[in-house]
Amino acid sequence: MSAIRPAAVVVLAAGEGTRMKSATPKVLHEICGRSLVGHVLAAARELKPENLVVVVGHAREQVAAHLGEVDPNARTAVQEQQKGTGHAVRMGLDELASGVDGTVVVVCGDTPLLTGGTLRRLAETHHGDGNAVTVLTAEVPDATGYGRIVRDDTGAVTAIVEHKDATAAQREIREINSGVFAFDGQLLADALKKVRTNNSQGEEYLTDVLGILREAGHRVGACVAGDHREIAGINNRVQLSEARRILNDRLLERAMLAGVTVVDPATTWVDVTVTFEQDAVVHPGTQLHGSTHLGEGSEVGPHCRLRDTHVGAGARVDNTVSEGARIGAQASVGPYAYLRPGTRLGVKGKIGTYVETKNAAIGEGTKVPHLSYVGDATIGDHTNIGAASVFVNYDGQEKHHSTIGSHCRTGSDNMFVAPVTVGDGAYTAAGSVITKDVPPGSLAVARGQQRNIEGWVARKRPGSAAAKAAEAASGQGPRED
Ligand code: UD1
Ligand code: MG
């Protein structure tokens, strides 16, 4: 394995990507929770290169800042003007001051479907065949725009001809240059000095290095990708959505083969960072993002959007939006719940319908079943929070915390005005506004006394339907049909 460890991977990401028609540089567009260049870096990292250099140019501050976040060990080389892929690689090699002994792999920053496995196969072919350069190629249904792989009668690669420079006969060729190569570093550096700009675009073509090396008597080889879709470069938003679909399918397929039921792959979207355990079930219309994890036998959906959410084994989450939450084993959430960051729901707990939670630790077996807001609160175990309760956490300037004990039964329509504490085993009456601490085991009643003013309707609304109904109910008059 160490034999195929490249001395460097050079990622080309200096181009503008005008066809994206976007204020965002092309390589920063995202699919499945990662930028295009982030996917390429992840694949490149699988080769464990000694150096990883990204050539940046267009919007380079933005791209470099992003690289600092996703791969702080990647180096950047600046290509001030985009004078072609050969020029870009030259800038990349310049960054590796001492020159490069060993293999240099070149990839483009806009091919997010490329896998580490394919890069490894390219490096292995390169070494196995003792090549000076090995190009990754693929047979594509439509080769328009791509560089064509020209082979001689023996099948040996002789050159790459760009679409714009190709003859009619060469344009018939469907084997294309993916833009991914393995090179002998020294030979590459020497050959790049000989690349000219006498082509239709007036650019230094990296692809010309093949012909130069071949003419100098070096071995030039090719490695054909198993799946041409893997090498597709993204140039516009149609291709962006196609790539997202392919990658998403790939991720779901892997999950299904590992024992996850995905009821409707067409409407289920996942990020590369999402993880599953066996027998998790994902119902239609569900989006799983970030570090979301579905535990064994858990069931999520339909129509859930979970980000950075840990779903415990056997838990059930239905029609829910959640971010930064931890849902305990066999707990139940939704339908129509909104879990915000810092929500912790204990084992067998329940966050029910039209309930919003934030920074709330809700204990084991505790239920918040209906129409409530729980913000900045700690609730013990086996407590029941009555319907339509609000944890009043904000005084207009600061947030405050409330604590409810274990085995409490709080009434419906309670306001817990923070900071306030309800002791273990306490009850509160329906409609209470709890502003003072409630000692353990007490019943708190905090509402106006009810007063009935009898005969008020008959006096104030005589002859009305209400008055007639009241009269009939009190048995004082004949009921009219
Ligand atoms: C290139 C190849 C072509 C291949 C195709 C695969 C050359 C001359 N042509 O064509 O054979 O079939 O990719 O998609 O190499 N870049 C820079 N600096 C530059 C120019 C480009 O960093 O000065 C980067 C771009 O950001 C991009 C990559 O290199 O990531 C490829 O450049 P692009 O202009 O898309 O090349 P193609 O014309 O598509
Ligand atoms: Mg391109």
Side-chain angles (χ1 to χ4, degrees):
M1 285 297 284
S2 61
I4 62 151
R5 186 179 175 194
V9 173
V10 179
V11 181
L12 305 187
E16 183 174 0
T18 42
R19 284 168 286 176
M20 294 300 281
K21 298 202 167 49
S22 176
T24 303
K26 174 164 85 171
V27 294
L28 299 193
H29 280 260
E30 276 190 21
I31 62 171
C32 300
R34 211 177 248 168
S35 65
L36 300 183
V37 71
H39 285 289
V40 173
L41 290 174
R45 281 291 177 206
E46 289 188 38
L47 295 178
K48 299 191 174 22
E50 284 164 42
N51 296 285
L52 202 157
V53 187
V54 184
V55 182
V56 297
H58 176 78
R60 65 171 187 257
E61 288 85 10
Q62 223 178 323
V63 177
H66 174 72
L67 293 172
E69 281 168 29
V70 299
D71 194 340
N73 293 324
R75 301 160 72 165
T76 53
V78 177
Q79 186 193 26
E80 292 287 352
Q81 284 177 307
Q82 281 71 71
K83 297 183 191 165
T85 47
H87 182 255
V89 172
R90 220 147 48 76
M91 299 301 108
L93 293 184
D94 281 354
E95 175 64 26
L96 306 170
S98 56
V100 187
D101 271 328
T103 302
V104 173
V105 172
V106 175
V107 295
C108 295
D110 62 357
T111 53
L113 302 177
L114 188 68
T115 62
T118 295
L119 285 179
R120 206 172 300 123
R121 213 159 58 76
L122 173 73
E124 279 165 4
T125 304
H126 183 70
H127 276 267
D129 294 356
N131 292 336
V133 54
T134 310
V135 53
L136 180 68
T137 74
E139 289 259 358
V140 295
D142 178 8
T144 309
Y146 286 105
R148 308 298 206 281
I149 303 294
V150 182
R151 292 176 184 263
D152 66 14
D153 295 343
T154 69
V157 177
T158 56
I160 296 174
V161 181
E162 289 307 296
H163 181 93
K164 285 179 182 161
D165 304 301
T167 63
Q170 285 168 334
R171 286 188 181 179
E172 294 298 309
I173 299 171
R174 290 195 10 257
E175 185 183 10
I176 58 109
N177 166 26
S178 66
V180 181
F181 303 86
F183 291 100
D184 175 287
Q186 287 300 337
L187 294 175
L188 170 64
D190 291 344
L192 280 173
K193 291 177 195 148
K194 298 177 188 146
V195 169
R196 298 285 162 260
T197 55
N198 56 341
N199 51 57
S200 64
Q201 302 186 79
E203 290 185 351
E204 291 179 37
Y205 286 171
L206 176 63
T207 45
D208 285 355
V209 168
L210 265 84
I212 292 168
L213 290 176
R214 187 181 154 86
E215 268 158 43
H218 296 289
R219 278 185 75 95
V220 173
C223 172
V224 184
D227 182 352
H228 71 82
R229 294 176 311 173
E230 206 185 297
I231 54 113
I234 307 300
N235 291 318
N236 59 45
R237 310 235 193 179
V238 175
Q239 291 166 338
L240 187 72
S241 79
E242 288 166 352
R244 184 181 292 115
R245 175 86 266 165
I246 291 168
L247 185 53
N248 192 65
D249 284 348
R250 202 192 270 172
L251 296 168
L252 292 178
E253 204 173 292
R254 190 192 302 163
M256 289 187 278
L257 291 174
V260 176
T261 293
V262 179
V263 176
D264 183 19
T267 62
T268 302
W269 295 91
V270 293
D271 284 354
V272 283
T273 39
V274 170
T275 52
F276 305 87
E277 281 171 47
Q278 199 171 307
D279 290 317
V281 177
V282 186
H283 291 285
T286 293
Q287 299 163 43
L288 307 173
H289 299 295
S291 61
T292 293
H293 173 81
L294 305 193
E296 188 173 341
S298 62
E299 218 170 322
V300 170
H303 306 293
C304 285
R305 175 155 51 88
L306 311 186
R307 178 175 294 280
D308 302 334
T309 294
H310 187 281
V311 181
R316 183 77 184 88
V317 184
D318 184 358
N319 276 277
T320 288
V321 174
S322 171
E323 181 170 351
R326 203 174 171 88
I327 298 165
Q330 294 173 65
S332 157
V333 177
Y336 314 115
Y338 181 24
L339 277 51
R340 292 166 51 203
T343 296
R344 301 275 177 274
L345 178 60
V347 173
K348 292 187 181 165
K350 180 184 174 83
I351 293 174
T353 303
Y354 300 117
V355 174
E356 176 180 343
T357 61
K358 185 215 73 172
N359 189 25
I362 299 170
E364 190 174 324
T366 286
K367 295 178 179 170
V368 187
H370 327 277
L371 300 160
S372 294
Y373 172 62
V374 183
D376 298 305
T378 304
I379 308 177
D381 299 332
H382 308 290
T383 281
N384 193 85
I385 302 296
S389 293
V390 172
F391 284 68
V392 183
N393 58 340
Y394 187 45
D395 62 11
Q397 281 175 320
E398 280 177 66
K399 299 286 169 72
H400 302 279
H401 196 90
S402 291
T403 304
I404 311 279
S406 294
H407 297 284
C408 293
R409 296 286 178 270
T410 67
S412 291
D413 196 23
N414 276 193
M415 301 289 122
F416 298 99
V417 182
V420 75
T421 298
V422 176
D424 289 345
Y427 279 54
T428 60
S432 288
V433 178
I434 304 295
T435 54
K436 291 185 212 151
D437 289 356
V438 180
S442 335
L443 167 68
V445 185
R447 63 184 185 214
Q449 290 285 338
Q450 183 170 332
R451 195 156 67 99
N452 295 335
I453 303 170
E454 295 200 13
W456 185 91
V457 172
R459 287 197 302 278
K460 299 288 190 185
R461 303 285 184 272
S464 69
K468 285 177 191 162
E471 199 175 57
S474 64
Q476 286 176 352
R479 191 184 192 112
E480 282 178 40
D481 283 320

